Amino acid sequence: MFNIIIAENYDQVSSEAFKIMREVVRKEAPVLGLATGSSPVGLYKKMIADHNSNGTSYKNCITFNLDEYIGLPKNHEQSYWTFMHENLFDNIDIPEENIHIPAGDKEDEEKECVEYETALAAHVVDLQVLGIGSDGHIAFNEPGASFDSVTHIMELTEQTRRDNARFFDDDITQVPTHAITMGLASIMRARKIIVIATGANKADAVYGMIKGPKTTDCPASILQDHDDVTVILDPAAAARL
Ligand code: F6R
């Protein structure tokens, strides 16, 4: 079941996401599933502002990130580890040991998948934040990924690598070809999910997620089976609904 919110602009979209986040963060020991990319940046800014002005604490919070590029060292400027520290973690009071991000620079990435899934499975994510790819991916589960998948390695589609080239000097050859990602089944275990999408290039994927057939061609359509998903959109992303 989808609860759909269409907000006026990106700032309003981020405020709606923050309202949901704030309720969850007030719990005693919240477990957050977090995303990178452009979509959640406004939400993270609001979490930081709230931490600074109202003292909202993340000391007891545990986080699990969705994914990481394979082949980038942790401290690479475009690694998701760097992204999360710059855009959120370095600006709130979460202890480093409470943060989980899959490592994309291990010699044995299959082992890393198993270890990450084991750590994740020991928790229940209270709120999972998602963006959506223009090809309908969630996390880095690209079209064709199994609905039963747990943390795994995925080859990125050319469309995703093209979309993300903006972070790599607009040079697709610099964008990694593979990522380690939570699986679709891993994501579906979260108690509550929010999907943030803005801009016209997301309109088809948003339509596929909500109104399209449930198919691995649009991985986000698996969310039709979850009973607590709030989709927060701007008018451009909602244009086909
Ligand atoms: C990021 C992630 C991806 C992005 C998606 C949308 O951790 O898992 O699924 O959410 O590619 O990216 P943006 O928000 O940059 O449009």
Side-chain angles (χ1 to χ4, degrees):
M1 265 295 291
F2 292 105
N3 171 31
I4 301 169
I5 299 174
I6 303 173
E8 241 170 76
N9 52 40
Y10 182 61
D11 187 56
Q12 294 299 321
V13 165
S14 303
S15 294
E16 293 293 337
F18 176 65
K19 276 189 215 160
I20 297 171
M21 176 62 74
R22 193 175 44 196
E23 286 305 310
V24 173
V25 166
R26 281 183 182 151
K27 281 185 56 157
E28 218 167 276
V31 181
L32 303 179
L34 299 176
T36 60
S38 305
S39 304
V41 169
L43 163 65
Y44 297 159
K45 284 202 174 114
K46 288 184 192 290
M47 290 164 73
I48 294 165
D50 169 63
H51 167 72
N52 289 335
S53 26
N54 305 320
T56 301
S57 176
Y58 291 81
K59 277 201 176 119
N60 297 322
C61 192
I62 293 176
T63 65
F64 285 89
N65 262 82
L66 288 170
D67 42 21
E68 178 60 282
Y69 289 119
I70 289 184
L72 299 189
K74 227 160 103 158
N75 60 2
H76 186 281
E77 59 174 358
Q78 292 306 337
S79 76
Y80 286 170
W81 192 95
T82 299
F83 178 98
M84 286 309 301
H85 282 78
E86 285 179 352
N87 286 286
L88 184 64
F89 298 144
D90 287 350
N91 305 297
I92 56 175
D93 60 346
I94 186 165
E96 189 65 33
E97 62 269 24
N98 291 10
I99 295 169
H100 302 81
I101 303 176
D105 58 353
K106 292 276 173 76
E107 217 161 277
D108 189 346
E109 279 295 327
E110 293 291 351
K111 184 163 163 249
E112 174 64 9
C113 290
V114 173
E115 288 176 2
Y116 197 73
E117 186 63 30
T118 305
L120 177 64
H123 297 83
V124 179
V125 170
D126 293 300
L127 177 63
Q128 176 66 59
V129 178
L130 296 177
I132 181 170
S134 62
D135 64 359
H137 71 227
I138 49 174
F140 272 136
N141 294 284
E142 297 283 29
S146 161
F147 281 176
D148 295 328
S149 55
V150 294
T151 303
H152 64 114
I153 295 168
M154 189 90 227
E155 182 173 3
L156 303 180
T157 61
E158 185 165 342
Q159 189 173 340
T160 295
R161 293 179 66 230
R162 225 183 296 121
D163 286 347
N164 289 3
R166 68 190 192 279
F167 299 115
F168 293 86
D169 305 323
D170 280 325
D171 176 6
I172 190 173
T173 65
Q174 289 184 41
V175 183
T177 55
H178 291 74
I180 172 169
T181 180
M182 269 188 207
L184 293 169
S186 331
I187 292 169
M188 289 293 281
R189 291 198 305 259
R191 286 201 170 98
K192 185 186 265 299
I193 295 177
I194 55 177
V195 184
I196 302 171
T198 56
N201 70 324
K202 300 292 174 72
D204 287 346
V206 166
Y207 175 85
M209 166 174 68
I210 295 172
K211 297 259 168 91
K214 210 173 57 184
T215 160
T216 55
D217 292 345
C218 178
S221 65
I222 193 178
L223 298 175
Q224 293 173 15
D225 279 348
H226 196 284
D227 61 10
D228 191 353
V229 184
T230 301
V231 184
I232 311 171
L233 306 168
D234 71 354
R240 287 200 59 201
L241 297 181

